[in-house]
Amino acid sequence: MFYAKSHPGETIKEHSAQLLDGLNLLQKTYGHKITNDDTFWKLLKTAVLFHDIGKANVLFQNKIRKFRGEEPLPCCLSPRDEIPHNYVSVALIPYKQLSFTKDEWRLLVAAIGYHHERNVLPNSRDIQEYVKQTVSKETIQALFEDMELPYQPEEASERLLDWLEKDRKSKYAAALHGNPEFFKKHVLLKGLLHRLDHAASAHVDVETGAEENAGEKTRRFLSRFELRPAQHFAIQHADRNVIMVASTGIGKTESALLWIGEQKAFITLPLRVSLNAMYDRLSDRDKIGLQHVGLLHSSSFDYLSEKAEIDGEETYEVSRQLSQKVTLTTIDQVLKFPFLYKGFEKELATFAYSKLVIDEIQAYDPNIAAMLVKALEMIVKIGGKFMVMTATLPKLYLETLCSRGIIPEDQWVHASFPNDDLKRHRIHTYSSEILDVTDSIIQKGKNKKILVICNTVDQAIRVYKQLQTECERTGEQIPVWLLHARFIKKHKSMLEQRVTQFAGSGWHQTDGEVETGIWVTTQIVEASLDVDFDELYTEMCPLDSLFQRMGRCYRIRPYSEEEPNVHIFTWNPSGMGTVYDAKLVEMSQESIQPFQDHILLESEKMKLVELLYSRKSLRGTSFLQKFDDAIRLFDNQLFFETKSQEAQEMLRNIRTLEVIPWKFRNEVEEWVHRLERETDKKRRRKWRQEIEKMSVSLNEKTLNYRNVALIPLETIGLEYLSWIMDSDAKYEFDEQTLQGSGLVYKRGTDIM
């Protein structure tokens, strides 16, 4: 018996058979979209059969046997001498008995040899010597017979091991860079082997719900309505790449589903809470009712686990393996492959037969936008299709796609669908600070739902406290809440639920008493919450953010009053030079001046953003500099230089640390003790979730600037969490009243 896995116990033959089943399923469901090249499928099958045969070496077998409590096999080497099995697998391939071209062999060696990415690179002489001492010919003969493979053992092929060594060197990288067809085959072969291996290890199907047609279900749901122009456009261009600019309420999500049709697809949004809401909406059986929809982001396991109507763990695992027919996800989960990090092939190969929808592209900073432009080009080159849909589109992105010419213009279409019939926002700018008008905000809060948005957390806290002080001084009983990113996860979730209850979109269509009051927030609500307030008070910021903020006021209602319902404060806004480019904010302010006290139409918003974010207008701004620098970085990115996690951190452009305020020490230590005593895997995960709910993500740069010394938790597996002491920051929140400032540094930083 040759073990492949320890828990549950599984042999190399059993594990390989699961990969073969997955390969058959993949070829049956999406094979015609991936490639009709029979040689490719033969290569992939060969990779599947031989990817784990290196596990037959004695040191690997003894590692499993020790875990299972079995006697070790005799061996003269120490466990420290073990060479990774994926390198050993290459040495055991019966090279002389298989017939491939030189390029096909190089692709096969790369796929098998690097189906696990290691920090230690292979050395062919060491591998040959290791094989002699740990894998006898009799062992290989027995393994081939067990797996019913019609081959005889051979000496380790020096040629294959030589290619294995050279895979991560410049010659192979040059072939990937200079030969598009070779690059495509490399990505498909290695990427699909990753998919098959990971799905088999997780014991889920590599693809699920291939028969479900999202477009058909959406058409059925919309059958009682007349399709909107954007939806007709999506259906008409379902076989092309699409860039669609459409106003809120125009039916963008349904347009995307109609464009997806019967295809496998990924839909991305900037923020997790929006994805959670979309998941609920699309899986609702009384509406569109998708059965094979997944949710994938950094906290999707927690969200899915709380749903009684599904097996949350299974749904999460299928989502994690990219197996669902439609997956709702953040871009960091599936679109960071332009970094060409170790293992990037898995996600890119999946897009060879999938459609991608990027929603709200204007919400990303210039570094990420550059990465998305590069990702779209790579997806089209490997055979996939994309739809970009957004409320406003910076012209720079279109200009870049056109000027680079990597995606021919006849392969994509662009259209705008403003909804000028719905007049929602009358704006007024003030040459004063938002802190100057807290008394007016309180008066409005008596009878209306008021939203205040600041550029930084510290400014939001200042406004919140001043509003509270004013209310106490005047005796006004106006409820005031605060929501920003420096609440622990548990409290942030409570506040998000409360604000949605307070001003959930569509509240004006329900009966009953209308709740009034004031919510003070940051950009956290710009694209994350489906809320609808009566008036917006906001600090000046770049146009795209400003219009996102406006989208939370009169979200789906017409506004017909003569008084402004959007109040913009231009004097000394917080976050200039740290959160926002000051010149961009200044240009944004100038561009809206002609609309003082006017209704701002949706088409005018689109035009203003388009003009502001043109290459000509952006000249001299840090925004354009960052975008161009990032494009150059991705164009010259070296293969396999970074790890996936490193790419994720670069993608987020900031490194955040998970921190628990010292105030919660007793409560958290109780959960830690339970975790340490627990052996059941599911309950351990449950205790870990409870601990993580008490943490808040903090910007590492801010912590360094503040000279905050964190204390890591000592429990194994929880080292990524740290305590932040009361001497560095205090934490205020009352779970009964939902009042408090959250985490407050001893000195303000005006950094988000």
Side-chain angles (χ1 to χ4, degrees):
M1 178 177 291
F2 299 97
Y3 289 121
K5 307 282 182 184
S6 57
H7 184 75
E10 198 171 273
T11 66
I12 296 174
K13 177 183 179 181
E14 290 168 340
H15 177 62
S16 300
Q18 289 178 43
L19 265 76
L20 283 176
D21 289 343
L23 173 58
N24 291 333
L25 176 62
L26 182 67
Q27 197 166 1
K28 179 182 174 184
T29 50
Y30 298 111
H32 61 293
K33 294 183 182 300
I34 297 169
T35 179
N36 291 320
D37 181 356
D38 291 338
T39 303
F40 170 81
W41 293 107
K42 181 182 174 185
L43 272 174
L44 184 54
K45 184 176 180 180
T46 306
V48 163
L49 289 172
F50 290 103
H51 80 290
D52 263 359
I53 58 173
K55 287 182 174 177
N57 80 79
V58 175
L59 289 187
F60 183 91
Q61 290 299 306
N62 281 347
K63 192 164 58 179
I64 304 289
R65 294 172 77 88
K66 181 180 180 183
F67 184 86
R68 296 173 58 82
E70 298 177 10
E71 286 294 317
L73 302 171
C75 183
C76 59
L77 297 180
S78 159
R80 293 192 300 272
D81 298 323
E82 184 181 357
I83 287 180
H85 74 269
N86 42 305
Y87 298 157
V88 181
S89 292
V90 174
L92 301 181
I93 297 173
Y95 172 67
K96 297 175 184 174
Q97 299 166 68
L98 292 167
S99 178
F100 293 115
T101 66
K102 178 182 175 183
D103 276 353
E104 288 164 354
W105 271 118
R106 293 171 72 195
L107 293 166
L108 190 62
V109 166
I112 293 175
Y114 294 94
H115 76 273
H116 293 288
E117 296 288 352
R118 312 286 185 179
N119 292 328
V120 179
L121 292 177
N123 178 290
S124 58
R125 289 188 179 179
D126 291 347
I127 296 171
Q128 282 179 307
E129 190 60 32
Y130 182 79
V131 168
K132 287 177 184 174
Q133 298 183 64
T134 63
V135 201
S136 67
K137 283 193 174 181
E138 290 74 20
T139 297
I140 297 302
Q141 181 72 54
L143 177 61
F144 284 174
E145 288 176 2
D146 186 42
M147 296 177 66
E148 300 177 8
L149 297 177
Y151 305 110
Q152 296 299 314
E154 296 180 10
E155 295 292 331
S157 167
E158 291 184 9
R159 177 167 292 186
L160 295 187
L161 292 177
D162 185 49
W163 281 327
L164 179 67
E165 262 194 18
K166 290 178 178 174
D167 173 83
R168 294 298 157 96
K169 296 184 179 175
S170 57
K171 196 171 180 181
Y172 192 81
L176 292 176
H177 271 302
N179 186 337
E181 192 59 28
F182 188 77
F183 174 80
K184 182 175 180 179
K185 286 180 178 176
H186 166 88
V187 169
L188 289 177
L189 188 67
K190 187 165 181 284
L192 294 179
L193 179 61
H194 279 307
R195 288 279 323 278
L196 293 166
D197 191 25
H198 296 175
S201 296
H203 296 282
V204 300
D205 288 337
V206 69
E207 294 294 345
T208 64
E211 70 286 353
E212 186 163 54
N213 187 322
E216 191 175 289
K217 287 198 168 183
T218 305
R219 274 177 180 263
R220 198 178 307 148
F221 171 66
L222 295 174
S223 60
R224 50 193 165 145
F225 309 106
E226 186 176 344
L227 288 184
R228 294 171 175 173
Q231 293 162 346
H232 280 297
F233 181 80
I235 295 171
Q236 183 184 353
H237 297 288
D239 60 344
R240 302 184 69 184
N241 301 300
V242 171
I243 297 175
M244 178 189 292
V245 187
S247 303
T248 300
I250 211 80
K252 282 192 295 181
T253 302
E254 287 76 11
S255 298
L257 293 171
L258 291 168
W259 176 77
I260 289 168
E262 63 175 358
Q263 307 290 316
K264 178 180 176 75
F266 294 82
I267 301 177
T268 71
L269 271 167
L271 295 170
R272 291 168 288 174
V273 66
S274 309
L275 288 165
N276 295 345
M278 184 181 285
Y279 174 85
D280 290 342
R281 193 171 149 212
L282 298 191
S283 59
D284 187 340
R285 293 184 180 181
D286 294 329
K287 296 180 179 175
I288 294 174
L290 296 184
Q291 294 180 6
H292 297 278
V293 58
L295 185 65
L296 184 61
H297 56 67
S298 59
S299 59
S300 58
F301 179 82
D302 294 344
Y303 189 77
L304 292 168
S305 298
E306 292 173 357
K307 297 204 162 293
E309 66 274 18
I310 61 169
D311 183 333
E313 188 169 356
E314 181 182 349
T315 301
Y316 171 73
E317 193 58 55
V318 174
S319 304
R320 200 164 71 94
Q321 299 306 327
L322 313 181
S323 304
Q324 293 283 21
K325 187 65 183 287
V326 175
T327 301
L328 314 178
T329 181
T330 45
I331 61 169
D332 61 319
Q333 300 289 332
V334 295
L335 289 179
K336 56 184 184 292
F337 46 78
F339 284 99
L340 303 179
Y341 58 88
K342 295 172 181 175
F344 77 94
E345 300 92 344
K346 178 180 176 181
E347 286 81 18
L348 183 54
T350 308
F351 280 107
Y353 59 100
S354 304
K355 285 184 167 181
L356 167 69
V357 178
I358 297 180
D359 197 357
E360 304 294 1
I361 194 172
Q362 85 288 351
Y364 299 105
D365 74 21
N367 295 313
I368 296 177
M371 187 204 69
L372 293 177
V373 168
K374 186 71 179 179
L376 297 183
E377 292 173 346
M378 294 174 72
I379 287 171
V380 170
K381 284 167 74 175
I382 206 160
K385 285 191 169 51
F386 70 82
M387 168 186 268
V388 173
M389 60 178 190
T390 181
T392 55
L393 179 66
K395 190 177 182 180
L396 175 65
Y397 305 156
L398 278 180
E399 291 173 332
T400 303
L401 281 175
C402 291
S403 64
R404 289 167 64 82
I406 294 174
I407 307 174
E409 289 193 40
D410 62 356
Q411 289 189 22
W412 54 279
V413 291
H414 168 220
S416 298
F417 298 93
N419 183 9
D420 284 345
D421 293 336
L422 182 62
K423 298 175 175 57
R424 303 186 294 158
H425 303 125
R426 188 181 296 279
I427 69 170
H428 188 92
T429 60
Y430 304 80
S431 56
S432 56
E433 284 192 70
I434 201 164
L435 281 163
D436 295 337
V437 295
T438 47
D439 53 343
S440 300
I441 294 173
I442 290 171
Q443 293 307 311
K444 293 291 183 66
K446 289 180 180 177
N447 304 308
K448 293 183 176 181
K449 298 178 187 290
I450 303 299
L451 177 63
V452 180
I453 303 182
C454 301
N455 294 344
T456 66
V457 173
D458 287 335
Q459 180 76 332
I461 293 172
R462 281 192 286 268
V463 172
Y464 168 73
K465 286 186 171 296
Q466 186 162 311
L467 286 168
Q468 283 193 321
T469 302
E470 286 286 323
C471 286
E472 289 173 7
R473 186 181 64 79
T474 59
E476 299 283 5
Q477 300 295 314
I478 312 296
V480 182
W481 293 273
L482 176 66
L483 172 60
H484 55 66
R486 290 212 304 255
F487 285 99
I488 63 170
K489 292 180 175 65
K490 177 183 178 183
H491 296 160
K492 186 160 162 277
S493 175
M494 294 168 74
L495 287 165
E496 287 173 347
Q497 289 179 27
R498 184 67 182 94
V499 71
T500 304
Q501 178 190 13
F502 176 87
S505 185
W507 63 264
H508 63 288
Q509 296 169 332
T510 60
D511 297 328
E513 187 175 349
V514 175
E515 192 177 13
T516 60
I518 303 164
W519 278 83
V520 182
T521 72
T522 61
Q523 301 87 333
I524 197 170
V525 302
E526 283 182 12
S528 64
L529 295 173
D530 189 13
V531 291
D532 186 1
F533 284 79
D534 293 320
E535 290 195 20
L536 168 67
Y537 289 74
T538 176
E539 290 187 289
M540 189 64 211
C541 58
L543 281 185
D544 52 327
S545 291
L546 182 63
F547 296 155
Q548 283 290 310
R549 295 177 187 192
M550 288 187 195
R552 271 62 212 166
C553 174
Y554 271 76
R555 184 160 176 74
I556 54 174
R557 297 176 282 160
Y559 185 71
S560 57
E561 304 297 321
E562 292 301 316
E563 294 296 317
N565 61 345
V566 175
H567 310 270
I568 305 162
F569 297 86
T570 61
W571 180 253
N572 196 27
S574 60
M576 294 303 98
T578 53
V579 180
Y580 297 122
D581 182 307
K583 184 176 180 183
L584 202 55
V585 173
E586 182 184 336
M587 292 160 59
S588 298
Q589 183 178 331
E590 291 173 0
S591 67
I592 60 171
Q593 283 307 318
F595 299 93
Q596 182 79 323
D597 294 323
H598 290 186
I599 288 284
L600 192 55
L601 298 174
E602 300 305 304
S603 59
E604 291 168 335
K605 294 176 187 173
M606 290 179 182
K607 193 67 179 175
L608 287 173
V609 169
E610 184 181 328
L611 292 176
L612 176 67
Y613 285 91
S614 69
R615 181 167 288 278
K616 182 179 177 183
S617 299
L618 289 170
R619 201 165 292 153
T621 64
S622 61
F623 186 99
L624 182 61
Q625 185 69 44
K626 289 178 181 175
F627 180 80
D628 285 344
D629 287 349
I631 285 285
R632 277 192 290 274
L633 181 148
F634 290 118
D635 282 345
N636 295 287
Q637 184 69 41
L638 299 176
F639 283 97
F640 318 124
E641 288 291 307
T642 59
K643 298 177 185 175
S644 175
Q645 183 60 33
E646 292 170 348
Q648 197 129 354
E649 290 173 3
M650 292 163 72
L651 176 57
R652 288 171 180 167
N653 203 30
I654 56 170
R655 175 174 157 80
T656 58
L657 301 177
E658 297 300 311
V659 169
I660 302 174
W662 187 250
K663 175 180 182 177
F664 302 114
R665 180 170 59 96
N666 292 338
E667 189 175 345
V668 170
E669 286 190 342
E670 175 59 30
W671 292 118
V672 171
H673 291 323
R674 292 189 186 192
L675 178 71
E676 290 173 335
R677 292 193 299 267
E678 187 59 66
T679 56
D680 181 79
K681 188 176 176 182
K682 287 187 177 180
R683 283 199 291 271
R684 281 180 62 83
R685 181 177 288 170
K686 171 70 175 171
W687 305 146
R688 185 188 299 275
Q689 287 172 3
E690 295 298 332
I691 295 167
E692 289 176 347
K693 284 178 184 175
M694 308 307 289
S695 69
V696 53
S697 299
L698 298 181
N699 186 320
E700 187 178 36
K701 286 182 182 176
T702 306
L703 292 167
N704 291 336
Y705 174 78
R706 295 279 309 129
N707 197 26
V708 173
L710 302 178
I711 303 174
L713 272 68
E714 294 179 350
T715 301
I716 294 175
L718 294 179
E719 299 92 339
Y720 62 96
L721 295 169
S722 298
W723 300 108
I724 185 168
M725 306 304 290
D726 290 340
S727 56
D728 289 314
K730 62 180 180 180
Y731 189 89
E732 300 172 346
F733 190 71
D734 185 320
E735 293 187 5
Q736 299 302 314
T737 63
L738 303 186
Q739 294 296 306
S741 299
L743 188 138
V744 182
Y745 293 112
K746 292 298 183 182
R747 182 166 61 89
T749 58
D750 263 359
I751 297 176
M752 284 178 70

